[in-house]
Amino acid sequence: MNPLLQKLQPYPFERLRQLFATVTPCPAHRAISLGIGEPKHATPLFIKEALNDNFKGLAAYPATGGEPVLKEACAAWLKRRYGLEVDPKTQILPVNGSREALFSLTQTVIDPTRDAVVVSPNPFYQIYEGSALLAGARLHFAPSDAKRNFAVDWASVPDDVWAKTQLVFVCSPGNPTGAVMPLDEWKRLFALQDRFGFVIASDECYSEIYFQGGPPLGGLEAATKLGRDFKNLVMMTSLSKRSNAPGMRSGFVAGDAALMKQFLLYRTYHGSAMSHTIQAASAAAWNDEAHVIANREQYRTKFAQVTPVLSSVLDVKLPDAAFYLWAKIPPNVCGGSDTAFATDLLAQYNVTVLPGSYLAREQDGHNPGTGYIRMALVAETAECLEAAQRIAEFVRSNKS
């Protein structure tokens, strides 16, 4: 067996299952889960119809590089959304969701014959860690700074680490904090890239769910605004959150043409071509914005109702974007422990939340997720509001 598999840590939801193994949820309340970030809004009808109209595509092998109609739809969306000029032939690749892209891109980039480092935000999406370890790299975590709207503290990474860094993950809007990386932070990271030559992979799958101001800044957009080209820079996004279609496993990667050429080579052997049927439905989704606007309004309405209820008892505020609330637990509730909060809340009120420490790693003696909980507001508004009211009652009744 591949010995690198032994380095993988259990996924947060497996750890949650183990944490709850001896907990009996309160039977007086129906179960409500805010734990898993899986979109629950309805998939638009026109996407389903596009799937139904293109079943003939199942009769042929798809090309890994993708069909022109889909790549052109992705390029047109990048133009509308960010004002970018991207060549669909050389700078865009369809992928089977952002998770697959994150993993395969890491295998493409990392040279394991050297002492390779991957820098990741902390807290983070766990595929960053798994893809790096299985590529033969080691991780260095840059913590989010609560005092700066959870901006990643890139300055905390020493120069001797940067000198060995081959890949940096950016997640903006961030999971779990919802923070958007502003232009001045991109400028700092690009300056480090110019010094040390690493690749930047910008994970932007939450870019279309935002609450304040204009649309979140993207990585390629930031480079363009700063007069840079896309060398050693790619962004990735998907239809899972934007279009409520997680089961389609559809997204795309765009950026540096030279890097994309190598990425295509890897994926050709990786066996990850997207079905013609999925490609046709994906093109339809990328070409439509009305459903995206409607979806965003649903989240805005939901967060406007739920956030005040929770902010009355927890240190939490409306995020920049994404569909999570990242809340600090009061020190006089469950001793400020995120795991104790999660188990006691389930036992007393049958609501599931995810301990923040499960989404981060300890570095330099500190886990930046400790004492936080993540709540995914993916269900309908009424259910999320009921969960928030139960959480508020739980906090008030468990103060020491």
Side-chain angles (χ1 to χ4, degrees):
M1 291 295 167
N2 184 346
L4 296 176
L5 289 169
Q6 301 305 312
K7 295 186 176 183
L8 298 179
Q9 297 202 32
Y11 224 65
F13 307 112
E14 173 59 22
R15 296 180 67 187
L16 193 65
R17 187 189 67 79
Q18 295 172 7
L19 179 68
F20 290 163
T22 59
V23 178
T24 300
C26 177
H29 299 284
R30 68 184 181 95
I32 299 179
S33 177
L34 306 181
I36 299 179
E38 181 180 32
K40 298 297 184 184
H41 295 175
T43 305
L45 178 60
F46 80 91
I47 296 179
K48 299 177 184 179
E49 291 174 340
L51 287 167
N52 189 61
D53 292 344
N54 288 277
F55 282 145
K56 62 182 182 295
L58 297 177
Y61 284 116
T64 305
E67 297 178 12
V69 65
L70 174 55
K71 298 173 78 169
E72 289 165 6
C74 295
W77 180 77
L78 289 172
K79 175 67 174 177
R80 293 194 308 272
R81 173 64 170 80
Y82 299 107
L84 299 174
E85 298 289 347
V86 176
D87 183 348
K89 295 180 180 179
T90 62
Q91 293 183 290
I92 290 178
L93 276 177
V95 293
N96 296 318
S98 55
R99 181 189 297 199
E100 183 267 319
L102 288 161
F103 182 86
S104 56
L105 179 75
T106 306
Q107 313 315 303
T108 302
V109 169
I110 294 301
D111 175 2
T113 66
R114 297 160 49 204
D115 183 11
V117 174
V118 172
V119 174
S120 168
N122 197 21
F124 63 98
Y125 179 40
Q126 193 155 332
I127 198 66
Y128 303 161
E129 180 184 59
S131 65
L133 293 174
L134 289 174
R138 57 189 176 91
L139 273 293
H140 186 93
F141 295 104
S144 297
D145 185 354
K147 296 178 181 178
R148 296 190 300 121
N149 188 35
F150 298 104
V152 177
D153 186 7
W154 304 114
S156 69
V157 181
D159 279 2
D160 63 335
V161 172
W162 283 126
K164 297 178 179 180
T165 298
Q166 297 183 16
L167 177 64
V168 174
F169 286 117
V170 172
C171 187
S172 178
N175 173 7
T177 67
V180 172
M181 189 160 153
L183 189 61
D184 61 341
E185 292 291 328
W186 275 108
K187 188 175 182 180
R188 292 188 185 97
L189 187 58
F190 287 145
L192 288 164
Q193 183 187 48
D194 289 342
R195 286 180 62 196
F196 298 104
F198 49 74
V199 171
I200 298 174
S202 182
D203 180 357
E204 302 175 13
C205 66
Y206 298 97
S207 68
E208 305 312 288
I209 302 171
Y210 52 90
F211 308 102
Q212 306 176 67
L217 180 70
L220 300 184
E221 182 186 20
T224 301
K225 286 180 178 293
L226 293 170
R228 302 173 62 88
D229 60 23
F230 299 155
K231 182 180 179 182
N232 286 336
L233 173 65
V234 296
M235 61 81 71
M236 54 196 67
T237 189
S238 83
L239 295 175
S240 295
K241 284 79 176 178
R242 174 188 183 272
S243 299
N244 296 306
M248 279 176 54
R249 308 312 305 135
S250 178
F252 71 87
V253 179
D256 182 352
L259 181 53
M260 298 295 282
K261 183 178 180 179
Q262 297 302 312
F263 187 36
L264 173 60
L265 174 62
Y266 176 87
R267 296 185 73 254
T268 299
Y269 283 85
H270 190 59
S272 51
M274 184 188 296
S275 157
H276 293 289
T277 303
I278 299 296
Q279 289 195 56
S282 300
W286 289 114
N287 282 329
D288 182 81
E289 288 299 320
H291 77 286
V292 181
I293 295 170
N295 184 50
R296 184 160 53 243
E297 286 306 312
Q298 286 189 66
Y299 280 111
R300 284 180 168 175
T301 298
K302 185 188 312 183
F303 273 72
Q305 294 186 39
V306 171
T307 305
V309 175
L310 292 170
S311 64
S312 68
V313 295
L314 298 171
D315 182 4
V316 64
K317 64 179 182 178
L318 188 69
D320 295 335
F323 51 45
Y324 303 111
L325 287 176
W326 183 241
K328 181 73 173 175
I329 301 167
N332 62 342
V333 176
C334 301
S337 167
D338 52 311
T339 52
F341 188 101
T343 53
D344 291 356
L345 175 64
L346 180 65
Q348 296 177 33
Y349 288 90
N350 209 352
V351 175
T352 300
V353 297
L354 190 62
S357 58
Y358 287 7
L359 293 164
R361 294 287 181 264
E362 181 176 317
Q363 185 159 287
D364 300 325
H366 175 61
N367 181 321
T370 298
Y372 286 87
I373 55 169
R374 192 191 77 175
M375 295 167 282
L377 302 191
V378 291
E380 296 301 321
T381 300
E383 184 171 325
C384 290
L385 187 58
E386 180 181 345
Q389 291 164 344
R390 290 191 212 171
I391 292 170
E393 186 176 341
F394 168 78
V395 171
R396 294 188 182 104
S397 62
N398 281 273
K399 287 184 176 178
S400 59

